[in-house]
Amino acid sequence: MTIIKFFILIFSLQALIVSAQQLPQHNEFQELGLSFDIPSGWVGQLSGEAVMLGHHSIAGLIILTENQAKNASSLKALAMEGVVDEGIKLMPTDEFILVGKNRVEGFYQGHFNGTEVKVYAIGLINGLGKGMNIIIMTESGKFTQQHQTEANKLAASVRFFKSIDSNVTMKWKNKIVGTQLKYMHTSGSSDYGGGYTGSSDKTFIELCSNNTFSYYSSSQASYSGSGGSGYAGNSNNNDGTYKISGIGEQAYLSLHFNNGEVYEYQLSTNDQGNTFLNDRRYFVSDLESCY
């Protein structure tokens, strides 16, 4: 995930994070080969490929994302480019500094959708797999030394190790890779005057063994009655690559569309073994072949 994509979420998500289902204090991402501890007073949740942490009394958010930099100098060069996009302009306040061979840190200052903000960023390099970016951001007038201290607490807890698939990830790979996940729902009703309204929703996700997928969804709604009739509908037909990953006992399916969109689903089953994506039941059937 790019820095721009998760900045868009920052101010709108803070209130939701502190009230949402929380991540545990200690978190291991075996597929990424890293672990970290959430500092006391912070609570967090997954949002796409980022971890968002909010606090009840400290303004701003901590955002964690992976990085794939091979060395600190290349990560520093990327950081020094700043972040410029529609409504966003964040530039380094000074030269980012190298701390040893595996850490880069520095500050951004600028504007985000008309708000002046300050950002403290830490980039950690991992020669065994994925590295980690730690960013804390808030309005400039609310940024204090405590923000930097909290980010450094988290950075000190990060541990890297050789990446492997977790047991929960392997369970879900065995269950849904090479299958079609199918959701279908229809509804309709009639009134005393002979009018009728109806709707239908369909989603088909085909997960190939080479980590590619195809996706099709459609929704339709219609009505008819004494006042006339009408119809509305839309569809989405696309493809891309997918990833199944786990944190603790929870697994997630991420669809990375070729157009840049990312859909994320929380995977679960009930006592009967039925499959649910974001609490919506999907039927699982084998694929005869992939495109």
Side-chain angles (χ1 to χ4, degrees), residues 235-255:
S235 64
N236 180 7
N237 192 355
N238 212 323
D239 52 29
T241 59
Y242 69 90
K243 180 170 66 175
I244 299 172
S245 57
I247 175 170
E249 296 302 313
Q250 183 58 63
Y252 298 86
L253 169 65
S254 299
L255 303 182

Side-chain angles (χ1 to χ4, degrees), residues 3 25 46 58 65 69 129-130 133 164 198 215 232 241 248 267 282:
I3 193 170
Q25 182 182 17
L46 286 171
I58 299 176
T65 62
K130 306 290 187 182
N133 298 320
I164 58 173
Y215 178 96
T241 59
L267 301 170
Y282 280 70

Side-chain angles (χ1 to χ4, degrees), residues 253-268:
L253 169 65
S254 299
L255 303 182
H256 298 254
F257 290 86
N258 290 330
N259 64 5
E261 290 186 280
V262 178
Y263 291 178
E264 179 158 296
Y265 302 91
Q266 181 173 309
L267 301 170
S268 62

Side-chain angles (χ1 to χ4, degrees), residues 95-221:
E95 188 84 4
F96 270 62
I97 63 173
L98 302 179
V99 182
K101 297 181 179 179
N102 298 313
R103 175 167 168 156
V104 180
E105 62 182 65
F107 293 89
Y108 292 108
Q109 187 90 27
H111 294 273
F112 172 80
N113 287 350
T115 300
E116 188 175 350
V117 296
K118 186 172 183 177
V119 179
Y120 174 55
I122 301 170
L124 302 176
I125 307 299
N126 173 23
L128 300 174
K130 306 290 187 182
M132 177 183 279
N133 298 320
I134 301 169
I135 293 173
I136 188 163
M137 177 180 179
T138 190
E139 297 176 45
S140 295
K142 297 180 179 179
F143 195 98
T144 67
Q145 179 62 42
Q146 185 177 16
H147 289 87
Q148 189 173 350
T149 299
E150 295 298 312
N152 280 312
K153 284 181 185 177
L154 198 152
S157 75
V158 176
R159 298 292 181 270
F160 294 117
F161 49 84
K162 186 176 180 179
S163 60
I164 58 173
D165 280 343
S166 65
N167 290 335
V168 69
T169 299
M170 289 302 302
K171 167 191 167 183
W172 279 99
K173 284 185 174 181
N174 291 333
K175 183 177 179 64
I176 64 176
V177 171
T179 71
Q180 181 186 67
L181 305 176
K182 182 183 297 185
Y183 169 81
M184 295 185 293
H185 175 77
T186 60
S187 64
S189 62
S190 301
D191 59 34
Y192 292 110
Y196 174 82
T197 60
S199 64
S200 68
D201 291 286
K202 298 178 181 179
T203 301
F204 302 146
I205 306 171
E206 295 185 349
L207 302 176
C208 297
S209 58
N210 63 355
N211 286 114
T212 62
F213 73 88
S214 64
Y215 178 96
Y216 173 78
S217 69
S218 67
S219 60
Q220 302 174 356

